[in-house]
Amino acid sequence: MFWSLILNVCFISHCKFASSHIKEGLIMEQDPESRESIENFTTDYKIIRTLGRGRFSVVKMAYHVPTLTCVAIKVLKNTEKCSSVMSREVDILKSLGHPHIIKVVEVVQTREATHLVMEHASQGDLLDRIRECGYLKSWEARRMFRQILEAVQFCHDNNIVHRDIKANNILIDGRSNAKLCDFGLAAKTLPGQKLIDFCGTLPYCAPEFFEAEEYEGRPFDVWSVGVLLFFMVTGHLPFLGKSFAEVRRQISSANFSIPPHVANDIFNVIVEMLMINPSRRPSIQQIMMRPMIKDSQAYSPPTSIQTFTGTPSPSIIKAMRVMRHTPEKSTESLIDQNINERTLVFIMK
């Protein structure tokens, strides 16, 4: 029973913010739960559908009516436990403005729930990307991994440790750029400061997590990023087993094997990051100096605002008619984004 629960947390309960482009009639076919939740939210947003569920939250895809913008909304009920989790996540995300960290647009409080409105990543998450193609090609892995490292380094430089870095917490925007998300388990900590609380996803947890009563957050993140890189270039996790004890045993002994197709520069970084002794793992800043990361710079397109171009599709015009917008005003709204202080900058493609 316990192992079943762990598997559910690790592999099934993914809060996926992203989705494909809005299909014809999608807005017209909102699920009942979505319609019910919006009644106590705000008329600025129209909930389209549920994207995923976590232990404490539900994530919905929504439409910002004034700007015709697709967003993701993380909803937590206002219980004592959920409120503290959301408050911590909101505080941390508001302090971390970075191109490769998911952007918070606003927080809307109602009597029943807290709504965290975030930018929408239109290409899904990294877990789905890897599942679709088996594993990432070396050039794509280098480019995306560099972006993930930049996000994690920015967190560490600002005394934030994420503690739940994994493939489904990396979103992919319309330009195929990585976005680190879900800071529900993140913590503010100074270098060398010890942490004691349980967190994370089992296959990504560092060995010291099982062996000591306290651990440092930064080396923990480095280990998780190493597991993520392994997954990106092989298509499977390095530590798997039929029981909690078996997975823990593999992690504690760093028992993994890297397939021969993995390039040497990537191989070397994985081995460095998956050192059993946390003091022997390089910092994120040191990893950024490795040839694998330096060579990836050529593959990094400039990050820029996603803007609407061209003529709106019939599905968008149909949706806007329901919202009492004329076709002309729909087009104007998409092109002219000077609306109000809450205008969103990531426009749905």
Side-chain angles (χ1 to χ4, degrees):
M1 179 69 180
F2 175 73
W3 180 242
S4 247
L5 178 61
I6 289 291
L7 284 176
N8 286 337
V9 173
C10 295
F11 302 110
I12 297 174
S13 299
H14 302 310
C15 290
K16 297 191 292 184
F17 295 167
S19 176
S20 58
H21 305 318
I22 294 181
K23 301 292 193 299
E24 181 74 30
L26 184 58
I27 294 181
M28 310 293 292
E29 299 173 1
Q30 299 173 12
D31 59 75
E33 180 188 345
S34 296
R35 287 197 299 270
E36 182 180 350
S37 67
I38 199 63
E39 291 176 1
N40 296 318
F41 182 28
T42 169
T43 56
D44 283 352
Y45 296 97
K46 298 293 182 183
I47 298 292
I48 299 170
R49 64 187 179 91
T50 298
L51 294 175
R53 298 177 184 276
R55 293 178 62 189
F56 306 109
S57 64
V58 59
V59 179
K60 296 178 180 292
M61 183 179 178
Y63 209 66
H64 186 241
V65 178
T67 59
L68 291 178
T69 305
C70 198
V71 297
I73 302 178
K74 186 173 184 178
V75 185
L76 279 86
K77 291 185 178 180
N78 287 334
T79 64
E80 184 176 349
K81 187 169 187 177
C82 289
S83 294
S84 65
V85 170
M86 177 63 91
S87 177
R88 178 177 60 192
E89 183 170 10
V90 169
D91 288 346
I92 287 174
L93 279 171
K94 282 185 174 180
S95 70
L96 295 175
H98 189 273
H100 298 301
I101 296 176
I102 206 72
K103 185 186 298 295
V104 174
V105 177
E106 65 173 322
V107 180
V108 180
Q109 292 275 2
T110 65
R111 186 172 58 185
E112 295 82 11
T114 300
H115 302 75
L116 181 60
V117 183
M118 296 169 287
E119 65 177 286
H120 171 74
S122 62
Q123 291 193 38
D125 62 34
L126 184 55
L127 180 65
D128 285 342
R129 172 71 66 88
I130 294 170
R131 283 175 171 170
E132 287 171 7
C133 58
Y135 58 83
L136 302 186
K137 294 180 180 179
S138 292
W139 69 266
E140 185 178 15
R142 289 187 178 95
R143 185 184 71 83
M144 196 166 290
F145 188 67
R146 178 188 177 91
Q147 295 176 348
I148 295 167
L149 286 181
E150 288 175 356
V152 178
Q153 182 178 0
F154 187 78
C155 291
H156 288 186
D157 289 347
N158 285 274
N159 295 323
I160 302 294
V161 291
H162 189 281
R163 300 196 297 177
D164 198 22
I165 298 169
K166 56 185 177 182
N168 49 304
N169 280 343
I170 305 296
L171 304 181
I172 305 173
D173 71 10
R175 296 180 178 271
S176 295
N177 290 315
K179 302 273 184 174
L180 181 62
C181 72
D182 199 344
F183 283 73
L185 296 178
K188 296 182 179 181
T189 175
L190 297 172
Q193 183 178 345
K194 302 288 187 177
L195 300 167
I196 58 173
D197 48 327
F198 177 85
C199 63
T201 301
L202 178 61
Y204 290 84
C205 287
E208 63 268 21
F209 186 77
F210 307 106
E211 308 299 333
E213 293 182 358
E214 53 186 18
Y215 60 94
E216 285 189 50
R218 286 166 178 76
F220 184 98
D221 277 354
V222 170
W223 175 279
S224 298
V225 172
V227 173
L228 178 61
L229 177 58
F230 183 102
F231 186 32
M232 290 169 69
V233 297
T234 68
H236 62 88
L237 291 165
F239 311 110
L240 292 172
K242 296 180 180 179
S243 67
F244 177 92
E246 187 177 345
V247 175
R248 173 178 172 173
R249 189 161 51 249
Q250 290 186 21
I251 292 172
S252 297
S253 61
N255 182 17
F256 65 92
S257 176
I258 303 175
H261 76 263
V262 175
N264 286 337
D265 58 342
I266 299 176
F267 178 102
N268 292 337
V269 170
I270 293 173
V271 170
E272 277 193 283
M273 299 179 84
L274 298 183
M275 299 293 290
I276 296 176
N277 187 338
S279 66
R280 296 187 61 190
R281 287 174 217 148
S283 66
I284 297 294
Q285 186 174 6
Q286 289 170 331
I287 298 165
M288 293 290 289
M289 303 303 296
R290 301 298 185 261
M292 172 198 168
I293 309 304
K294 285 186 174 181
D295 294 344
S296 71
Q297 196 160 13
Y299 298 109
S300 297
T303 54
S304 62
I305 293 174
Q306 301 177 47
T307 55
F308 176 86
T309 58
T311 303
S313 69
S315 62
I316 293 178
I317 295 299
K318 181 178 180 181
M320 295 312 295
R321 283 201 187 101
V322 175
M323 299 171 190
R324 298 181 181 178
H325 284 239
T326 65
E328 293 76 15
K329 281 198 172 289
S330 299
T331 304
E332 290 171 6
S333 296
L334 284 164
I335 295 172
D336 181 8
Q337 298 178 44
N338 298 318
I339 309 243
N340 56 38
E341 71 276 6
R342 294 192 300 182
T343 296
L344 313 182
V345 297
F346 282 78
I347 300 299
M348 180 189 65
K349 291 196 172 184

